[in-house]
């Protein structure tokens, strides 16, 4: 169900605070190209890259080929889903590996 635009505008300023409180990160990607349009500070820290090296890049430029393919497949599945979709991923960046949940929503 689409969110009422007035309600969405009222809730938007709360989102960064909720994410920080819960230790969650946020990224926004262009659906057609897969280019990253936004990455919040927590995500940039995890990627160990400044915004200039992330914004405008595709997932395939930020991760190894296997990881990028898995993430892009999940992105594409979310585009065809009627509602938000959660997926679990295990990703290694350099010598650090971690597991995370991704909540994807077509907007």
């Amino acid at each position: 169900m689409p969110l009422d635009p007035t309600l969405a505008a009222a809730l938007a300023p709360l989102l960064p605070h909720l994410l920080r409180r819960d230790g969650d990160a946020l990224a926004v990607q262009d659906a057609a190209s897969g280019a990253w349009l936004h990455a919040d500070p927590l995500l940039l820290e995890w990627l160990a890259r400044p915004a200039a090296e992330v914004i405008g890049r595709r997932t395939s430029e930020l991760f190894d080929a296997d990881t990028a393919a898995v993430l892009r497949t999940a992105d594409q599945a979310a585009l065809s889903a009627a509602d938000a979709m959660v997926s679990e991923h295990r990703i290694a960046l350099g010598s650090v590996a971690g597991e995370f949940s991704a909540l994807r929503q077509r907007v």
Side-chain angles (χ1 to χ4, degrees):
M1 167 195 282
L3 189 61
D4 173 70
T6 303
L7 179 59
L11 293 175
L14 297 175
L15 183 60
H17 302 288
L18 289 171
L19 291 171
R20 273 195 306 274
R21 181 195 73 187
D22 294 342
D24 295 328
L26 175 68
V28 178
Q29 290 179 276
D30 177 72
S33 70
W36 289 45
L37 304 175
H38 172 82
D40 72 0
L42 183 59
L43 186 57
L44 293 171
E45 181 181 325
W46 183 72
L47 292 170
R49 295 177 185 232
E53 292 181 13
V54 174
I55 306 306
R57 308 282 174 136
R58 293 186 171 100
T59 301
S60 61
E61 297 172 278
L62 300 172
F63 297 95
D64 65 75
D66 291 338
T67 300
V70 168
L71 294 174
R72 192 67 180 147
T73 298
D75 292 342
Q76 294 300 314
L79 288 174
S80 62
D83 294 316
M85 188 179 110
V86 176
S87 56
E88 304 293 326
H89 302 283
R90 180 164 178 76
I91 294 181
L93 289 173
S95 63
V96 178
E99 295 182 15
F100 72 96
S101 293
L103 173 65
R104 292 175 171 87
Q105 174 67 53
R106 175 187 58 194
V107 292

